Amino acid sequence: MNKITGHFDWEEFSIKNIEKKHDVTAVAKRDGQGDEPRTNSETLSVAENEIKQECETYIERHTAKLRIFLEKIEHKQNELSTYLQQNHFEPIYDKLKLEFDALAGKSQMLLGDYKNSYSTYKEEQKQFQRYHQISREPNFATSKKSIKAFSLIFFLLTVEVIANSNLLSGALVGGQLEGLTLAGSVAFINVFISCIIGYYLLKNINHPEKSKKYFYGALSLVYTIFILYLNACLGAYRAISERLFNDQYSLDQNFVKLTDQQINESLNASIMPWSVDFSFIGIVLTFLGISFAFISLLDGFTYNDTYPGYGNVGKNVNKYNELIKEESHNFASEVNKLLDKGNKELQNKKDQILNNELNYWDNNTNLLQKEFIAFEQKTKDVENKCKHIIDEYRAENKRVRKTEAPKYFQKSFELTEEIKNPEKVFKEIVFHYLNDQSRE
């Protein structure tokens, strides 16, 4: 579908040619001398009828040609009108509705599953609270809390390994390597093992069953004593090693150096730290290890709630609560995207119709309006020219005649509305004719 280009061309209607063809002046003089037409005549003379016929023939010939041109416009306008009257937006809406229903159905199904799981775990949490007589909400481990907890363990482990190896290496015969090995082993127990003990054993001191509470409390106490003892042994080992190191590498020539067996026997005394005189660095090592061990115990104890199992219950509830929020957010986001996409498709379709079919329709309607106006102007012009010729005929006729001129001479020549009114001439096309206000 497209618009009609061009316009209808009218041939020139020449007064001079008509007057020459019919010799109007001579015929008017001859008729007047013969007193034709008669004074009582009410119809046009032969000459006037010939001039009128020239006018009507000219208009009819061009009307026939113009009708063919207007039929092309009508054909295009019928196509465009039929197209424009269709609902071009309903398919887009139907497609949008189908996509929305699919999206809503999928989201509803997911939210239903999440809601069922959430309700199940929420009920488990309530039962857990009732059984264990807990009134507070669980302090479950989130991703952020887990990162903080594990970062603290890694930090403590790194610091203790570096600190212990530096404090030990200066007094050990093996130097940095021996200090790093010993420091790493003790740091692993102080930090990593303590964290595990805090998570799996220490939490159970809150258990409602007294047997479990006492059992795990006793195990935690044993581990605490072990940590105190281990770090005390490390401090004692550092103090003994420092003395042996200073003695072995003493500048005193009279000092008798110890054998390897004597050195080992001396170091074995560190297993009874209460019998060893601690050096300052030994004390620092001991308290550093104990401090890091207790921090790790507390980190494991508080991680994922201090009550055993309560954090996992709360974590499950929170997991599905977050999934519900996430799915709700995703659904809203997808709906917005879908609506934006639909609006763009609707706007593109609207722009396409405005810029193409509706524009073509408007152009063709405008062209039809112009041709109607041109038809009125052309027929009016031909009417005036014929009137001029007939008026010249009548003037010459009255000048030479002896009798009074017919009364109809006083009436100006006019074409009938059926010939010069385009709305009557082109009845089959007038449906598509609109003025500016109607077209807008």
Side-chain angles (χ1 to χ4, degrees), residues 167 235 238-239 242 277-287:
L167 292 175
R238 174 59 175 79
E242 184 179 358
D277 291 332
F278 277 73
S279 64
F280 175 74
I281 295 178
I283 295 173
V284 170
L285 266 175
T286 300
F287 279 97

Side-chain angles (χ1 to χ4, degrees), residues 78-94:
N78 285 335
E79 288 184 355
L80 290 168
S81 295
T82 300
Y83 180 82
L84 290 171
Q85 287 170 0
Q86 296 172 3
N87 190 338
H88 301 280
F89 305 104
E90 188 171 0
I92 299 175
Y93 166 78
D94 291 340

Side-chain angles (χ1 to χ4, degrees), residues 174-417:
Q176 189 78 22
L177 181 60
E178 185 179 351
L180 182 61
T181 303
L182 183 59
S185 301
V186 176
F188 179 80
I189 296 173
N190 279 341
V191 176
F192 190 74
I193 300 300
S194 294
C195 180
I196 293 175
I197 294 297
Y199 184 79
Y200 288 103
L201 295 184
L202 193 58
K203 284 181 187 291
N204 286 281
I205 62 175
N206 291 322
H207 203 281
E209 296 181 18
K210 291 184 178 181
S211 58
K212 289 187 177 181
K213 179 187 293 188
Y214 294 151
F215 175 73
Y216 285 108
L219 290 179
S220 299
L221 179 61
V222 169
Y223 181 76
T224 303
I225 295 172
F226 169 73
I227 285 295
L228 294 173
Y229 173 73
L230 177 64
N231 284 278
C233 289
L234 182 63
Y237 188 84
R238 174 59 175 79
I240 295 171
S241 296
E242 184 179 358
R243 287 197 298 270
L244 292 173
F245 184 86
N246 291 335
D247 291 342
Q248 288 295 94
Y249 295 97
S250 174
L251 298 177
D252 187 359
Q253 298 295 328
N254 296 322
F255 180 78
V256 179
K257 294 185 178 182
L258 301 176
T259 64
D260 291 342
Q261 182 178 358
Q262 291 173 323
I263 290 174
N264 290 332
E265 291 176 355
S266 298
L267 290 174
N268 288 337
S270 60
I271 64 175
M272 294 184 292
W274 51 86
S275 63
V276 178
D277 291 332
F278 277 73
S279 64
F280 175 74
I281 295 178
I283 295 173
V284 170
L285 266 175
T286 300
F287 279 97
L288 180 67
I290 293 172
S291 299
F292 280 20
F294 275 101
I295 293 174
S296 299
L297 274 171
L298 288 175
D299 189 46
F301 175 71
T302 57
Y303 177 70
N304 204 23
D305 204 90
T306 58
Y307 198 91
Y310 194 37
N312 289 331
V313 174
K315 189 185 294 185
N316 289 329
V317 174
N318 180 70
K319 172 186 174 182
Y320 286 99
N321 186 43
E322 291 300 319
L323 285 173
I324 290 172
K325 290 180 181 178
E326 181 181 356
E327 179 57 29
S328 299
H329 178 268
N330 290 339
F331 175 71
S333 178
E334 290 298 321
V335 168
N336 286 334
K337 290 180 182 178
L338 188 62
L339 291 177
D340 289 341
K341 175 186 173 184
N343 285 334
K344 287 180 181 179
E345 290 183 6
L346 291 169
Q347 187 63 45
N348 289 338
K349 175 57 73 173
K350 175 186 174 184
D351 292 341
Q352 175 193 334
I353 293 173
L354 288 176
N355 297 329
N356 295 297
E357 286 77 17
L358 188 60
N359 186 44
Y360 299 157
W361 179 89
D362 183 62
N363 179 82
N364 294 341
T365 304
N366 189 48
L367 178 60
L368 184 66
Q369 182 187 23
K370 289 180 179 178
E371 293 300 338
F372 270 44
I373 294 172
F375 183 87
E376 289 179 333
Q377 293 173 344
K378 288 292 183 180
T379 53
K380 185 66 176 177
D381 178 64
V382 171
E383 182 184 53
N384 289 334
K385 287 179 178 179
C386 287
K387 178 178 177 296
H388 173 77
I389 296 172
I390 290 174
D391 285 347
E392 284 187 354
Y393 168 85
R394 290 175 178 176
E396 182 63 20
N397 184 282
K398 285 191 294 184
R399 189 181 68 79
V400 299
R401 69 184 296 136
K402 300 181 179 118
T403 60
E404 186 178 351
K407 290 183 179 180
Y408 79 83
F409 270 26
Q410 299 174 9
K411 183 179 179 182
S412 296
F413 171 77
E414 287 184 353
L415 294 171
T416 63
E417 287 293 309

Side-chain angles (χ1 to χ4, degrees), residues 45-56:
S45 67
V46 174
E48 289 175 311
N49 273 318
E50 288 177 349
I51 296 169
K52 177 185 176 185
Q53 187 64 37
E54 287 285 350
C55 175
E56 292 178 348

Side-chain angles (χ1 to χ4, degrees), residues 1 56 59 65 99-100 121 129 134 157 161-163 174 184 210 226 242 245 261 295 308 324 338 409 419-420 433 439:
M1 290 181 287
E56 292 178 348
I59 293 175
K65 293 180 180 179
E99 292 180 358
F100 174 79
Y121 286 114
Q129 288 174 321
I134 303 174
L157 185 62
V161 168
I162 294 173
K210 291 184 178 181
F226 169 73
E242 184 179 358
F245 184 86
Q261 182 178 358
I295 293 174
I324 290 172
L338 188 62
F409 270 26
I419 294 177
K420 66 179 181 180
Y433 173 79
R439 186 172 76 253

